[in-house]
Amino acid sequence: MVFLIFTRSGCEGLVAQLKPNTTSFWLNSGVLTPPEINELRKSGYNITEFLKPVNTNDSAALEAAIGTVQEHHIGQNVWVEHI
């Protein structure tokens, strides 16, 4: 499963519940610092960060972000954090 995460608390909650090497996380830009992302990667998490912030109040931007994730993870379910 792939997780599209928009908040720090969403990311922290998933990291607390999910084991490394089992999922992919796509983070909104700025959710974590580069050192925090590197630490998660060293721990075995597959992390991708959007280069620009996704405006979660803009349905077109949200759909575009989901589409990007789906392009990279064909056939996998995408969990989207609802905020």
Side-chain angles (χ1 to χ4, degrees), residues 53-69:
V54 176
N55 180 354
T56 58
N57 294 318
D58 179 346
S59 61
L62 186 56
E63 288 298 321
I66 293 168
T68 298
V69 173

Side-chain angles (χ1 to χ4, degrees), residues 68-80:
T68 298
V69 173
Q70 289 174 324
E71 287 176 13
H72 291 275
H73 300 276
I74 297 170
Q76 292 190 39
N77 291 326
V78 178
W79 177 93
V80 180

Side-chain angles (χ1 to χ4, degrees), residues 12-25:
E12 290 171 347
L14 287 172
V15 167
Q17 295 178 32
L18 302 172
K19 296 179 183 178
N21 301 316
T22 61
T23 59
S24 296
F25 291 172

Side-chain angles (χ1 to χ4, degrees), residues 45-57:
Y45 289 94
N46 181 7
I47 307 286
T48 303
E49 181 182 31
F50 281 94
L51 296 176
K52 295 180 181 180
V54 176
N55 180 354
T56 58
N57 294 318

